[in-house]
């Protein structure tokens, strides 16, 4: 009897001690993950992030755009330029091809986009040029999303590698964490185990099956989101670049997009930025190859510390120096946007076409420009469709409601399965000067706060420039539905000022628990 009582007391004490040990263990795990997150956040972003080129005299500027609209019968029509120019540049290169693209795959959503197999076209173009010039240096940089973070083989990357073209997949762990509530835990308890092809779960982006660790990596919500090409111009040995909002992704092949191609010294700044990206990825063989090409071409790069070397290039150029082109990355894009918007006042025009608009400082700057008397027009994607999957309109619908309530004009892109994927801003400064920004960056916290990797170009022109007229006409045509084509719809068509959407958007933007 006594022994039985003593045993029951011992068991209760043991159970209490066990629960206490579990609590201490869980607390230690939480503290360890928190410390990992905090310590990582104390380190600055890598040198490949937040670059800012010099405002160089523009040479051979060419504005390119992929358009979609609804005809009088309500059928979707397309007119595209960007990838035709990209393939032309690849076909004429004989000294260098450097490609950095985010989405490079054939994956489709539940409702496939049948317009164009861009991933196969690009793969074929690169391999064909390699076969024509066996020793042509070709450097391809992309994002691990195309292998679902190591959980699936990339058919296109495998084909390129079999042809002798190395693909550098960006090491996203070097970047700051855009979803800190998850990434601290992931870095400690999941990252050390790596990833490999698996069959446990369906590919969240398309065909095939992947491992659980692919999903856990996806929740970090970060990317090398750049979309650019650098080649030589053939016989004259000059470098040329194309910076775009478009991906070589079959499911995105009908999207509206914009791009700018150019040559001259601005391309050298872009090369220097991509070289820093290769260094970040410890792709030393590709760096050496790139250096050899540049030496052969007689190209001198800026100082190795690109951020410090060109940090003094924010002065507005004289009208006599226009047009100019400047390459920008990440937070430097936001600085340029805010600088342009802060100068807009009575008599000026601000036109914005954007896939995702959520960054608070930019939203406030748009409202402030309107309050100073600027004409502010904002053309947004409805954010209701993503590759055949329905979305609820966050962030653009609550942001649009805020803008309209403050007097800003907003219209929606009229789309039919495709996305209004352009990232484009125009600000007129007085009667003579114009600023245009375009490229890969959505105007969101993730894209502009040195979390994702982004590349834009800022182009400054005069009112007399044919390029200025062409770019203004590009936006006016969509805003005004010119030529009997329906490019855009009234704000009321998709207006939604619900408190729930507003709270959801604010929470997602603030915490990073979102895909935008």
């Amino acid at each position: 009897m006594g022994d039985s009582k003593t045993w029951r007391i011992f068991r209760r004490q043991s159970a209490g001690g066990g629960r206490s040990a579990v609590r201490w263990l869980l607390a230690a795990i939480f503290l360890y993950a928190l410390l990992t997150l905090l310590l990582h956040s104390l380190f600055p972003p890598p040198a490949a992030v937040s670059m800012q080129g010099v405002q160089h005299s523009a040479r051979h500027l060419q504005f390119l755009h992929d358009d979609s609209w609804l005809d009088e019968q309500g059928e979707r029509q397309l007119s595209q330029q960007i990838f035709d120019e990209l393939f032309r540049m690849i076909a004429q290169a004989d000294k260098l091809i450097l490609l950095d693209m985010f989405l490079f795959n054939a994956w489709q959503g539940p409702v496939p986009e049948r317009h164009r197999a861009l991933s196969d076209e690009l793969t074929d173009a690169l391999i064909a040029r390699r076969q024509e010039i066996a020793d042509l240096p070709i450097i391809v940089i992309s994002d691990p999303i195309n292998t679902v973070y190591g959980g699936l083989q990339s058919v296109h990357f495998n084909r390129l590698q079999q042809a002798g073209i190395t693909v550098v997949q960006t090491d996203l762990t070097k970047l700051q964490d855009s979803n800190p509530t998850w990434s601290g835990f992931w870095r400690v308890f999941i990252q050390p185990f790596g990833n490999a092809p698996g069959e446990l779960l369906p590919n969240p982006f398309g065909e095939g099956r992947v491992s659980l660790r692919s999903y856990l990596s996806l929740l970090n919500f970060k990317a090398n989101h750049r979309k650019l090409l650098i080649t030589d111009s053939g016989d004259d040995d000059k470098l040329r670049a194309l910076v775009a909002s478009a991906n070589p992704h079959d499911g995105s092949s009908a999207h509206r997009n914009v791009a700018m191609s150019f040559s001259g010294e601005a391309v050298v700044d872009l090369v220097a930025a991509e070289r820093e990206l290769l260094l970040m990825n410890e792709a030393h063989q590709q760096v050496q190859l790139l250096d050899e090409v540049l030496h052969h071409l007689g190209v001198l790069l800026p100082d190795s510390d690109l951020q410090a070397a060109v940090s003094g290039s924010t002065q507005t150029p004289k009208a006599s120096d226009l047009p100019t082109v400047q390459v920008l990355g990440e937070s430097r894009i936001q600085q340029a946007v805010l600088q342009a918007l802060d100068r807009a006042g009575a008599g000026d025009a601000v036109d914005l076409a954007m896939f995702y608009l959520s960054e608070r400082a930019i939203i406030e700057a748009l409202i402030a420009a309107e309050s100073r008397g600027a004409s502010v027009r904002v053309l947004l994607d409805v954010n209701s469709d993503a590759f055949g999957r329905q979305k609820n309109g966050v962030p653009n619908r609550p942001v649009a409601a805020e803008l309209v309530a403050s007097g800003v004009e907003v219209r929606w892109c009229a789309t039919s399965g495709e996305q209004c994927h352009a990232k484009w801003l125009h600000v007129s400064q007085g009667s003579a000067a114009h600023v245009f920004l375009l490229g890969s960056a959505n105007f969101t916290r993730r894209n502009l706060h040195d979390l994702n990797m982004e590349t834009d170009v800022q182009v400054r022109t005069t009112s007399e420039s044919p390029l200025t007229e062409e770019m203004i006409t590009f936006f006016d045509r969509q805003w005004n539905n010119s030529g009997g084509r329906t490019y855009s719809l009234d704000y009321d068509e998709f207006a939604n000022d619900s408190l729930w959407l507003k709270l959801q958007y604010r929470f997602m933007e603030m915490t990073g628990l979102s895909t935008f």
Side-chain angles (χ1 to χ4, degrees), residues 232-295:
D232 66 285
S233 299
D235 295 337
D236 61 6
D237 286 351
K238 302 299 184 182
L239 292 176
R240 185 164 185 81
L242 183 147
V243 173
S245 66
N247 291 296
H249 171 230
D250 294 14
S252 304
S253 63
H255 288 2
R256 296 189 199 179
N257 280 297
V258 292
M260 184 69 70
S261 67
F262 53 96
S263 58
E265 292 300 314
V267 184
V268 179
D269 289 342
L270 186 58
V271 171
E274 290 299 297
R275 186 179 185 277
E276 288 289 347
L277 174 54
L278 290 170
L279 286 172
M280 185 190 83
N281 283 279
E282 300 180 3
H284 301 298
Q285 184 177 354
Q286 282 68 41
V287 172
Q288 182 180 355
L289 180 63
L290 180 60
D291 288 346
E292 291 173 355
V293 172
L294 298 177
H295 177 74

Side-chain angles (χ1 to χ4, degrees), residues 167-187:
V167 179
V168 178
Q169 295 191 57
T170 307
D171 183 358
L172 301 179
T173 65
K174 302 290 182 64
L175 303 178
Q176 298 281 45
D177 293 329
S178 64
N179 182 14
T181 55
W182 166 251
S183 293
F185 178 87
W186 180 86
R187 286 182 180 277

Side-chain angles (χ1 to χ4, degrees), residues 106-118:
W107 296 332
Q108 300 273 10
V111 181
E113 177 57 66
R114 300 298 184 186
H115 173 57
R116 194 169 181 181
L118 286 174

Side-chain angles (χ1 to χ4, degrees), residues 230-426:
I230 302 167
T231 69
D232 66 285
S233 299
D235 295 337
D236 61 6
D237 286 351
K238 302 299 184 182
L239 292 176
R240 185 164 185 81
L242 183 147
V243 173
S245 66
N247 291 296
H249 171 230
D250 294 14
S252 304
S253 63
H255 288 2
R256 296 189 199 179
N257 280 297
V258 292
M260 184 69 70
S261 67
F262 53 96
S263 58
E265 292 300 314
V267 184
V268 179
D269 289 342
L270 186 58
V271 171
E274 290 299 297
R275 186 179 185 277
E276 288 289 347
L277 174 54
L278 290 170
L279 286 172
M280 185 190 83
N281 283 279
E282 300 180 3
H284 301 298
Q285 184 177 354
Q286 282 68 41
V287 172
Q288 182 180 355
L289 180 63
L290 180 60
D291 288 346
E292 291 173 355
V293 172
L294 298 177
H295 177 74
H296 176 75
L297 295 175
V299 174
L300 297 177
L301 294 178
D303 186 280
S304 59
D305 186 354
L306 186 64
Q307 295 164 313
V310 297
S311 61
S313 61
T314 59
Q315 296 298 318
T316 302
K318 299 177 182 178
S320 58
D321 297 329
L322 299 177
T324 63
V325 60
Q326 181 181 23
V327 178
L328 301 168
E330 296 83 38
S331 60
R332 303 288 191 167
I333 300 169
Q334 179 170 355
Q335 291 173 14
V337 169
L338 293 177
Q339 184 181 57
L341 291 176
D342 289 346
R343 293 178 178 177
D348 294 333
V350 176
D351 293 328
L352 175 68
M354 189 58 54
F355 178 53
Y356 281 140
L357 174 61
S358 65
E359 208 285 326
R360 294 306 308 164
I362 292 178
I363 293 167
E364 291 165 3
L366 289 167
I367 294 171
E370 191 280 334
S371 69
R372 293 191 298 268
S375 169
V376 181
R377 301 184 297 179
V378 177
L379 178 63
L380 296 175
D381 186 85
V382 184
N383 293 165
S384 63
D385 180 88
F387 311 117
R389 296 180 176 88
Q390 291 300 306
K391 300 174 62 179
N392 66 353
V394 173
N396 284 359
R397 292 174 82 175
V399 168
E402 180 180 356
L403 292 173
V404 169
S406 300
V408 175
E409 292 186 86
V410 174
R411 291 183 66 82
W412 303 108
C413 292
T415 54
S416 180
E418 78 282 10
Q419 293 175 348
C420 199
H421 197 251
K423 302 95 165 60
W424 185 93
L425 172 69
H426 164 234

